[in-house]
Amino acid sequence: MANRTTPREPERLSQRWTLILLSAFVAGAVVFALAGPLAALGAAGATALGLHQLMA
């Protein structure tokens, strides 16, 4: 019986999550410039949650 060893590579991030995280970052950056850090965190979180629900 052969010893099966596979290289341990981390699983790649799906394109869907790449798009969600990139969009959340951009939304957070825009809101940060306009309204400050707390609003930016809210906008980034809401964008990520909304896109996750929309694309699921």
Side-chain angles (χ1 to χ4, degrees):
M1 192 180 229
N3 185 7
R4 290 181 156 180
T5 58
T6 58
R8 296 194 180 254
E9 296 179 13
E11 188 176 336
R12 292 183 55 155
L13 193 62
S14 71
Q15 285 182 343
R16 180 174 73 101
W17 275 106
T18 303
L19 179 64
I20 289 171
L21 294 176
L22 183 63
S23 299
F25 177 78
V26 169
V30 169
V31 173
F32 180 78
L34 297 174
L38 191 57
L41 286 174
T47 301
L49 182 65
L51 286 176
H52 173 64
Q53 293 294 323
L54 186 68
M55 297 174 132

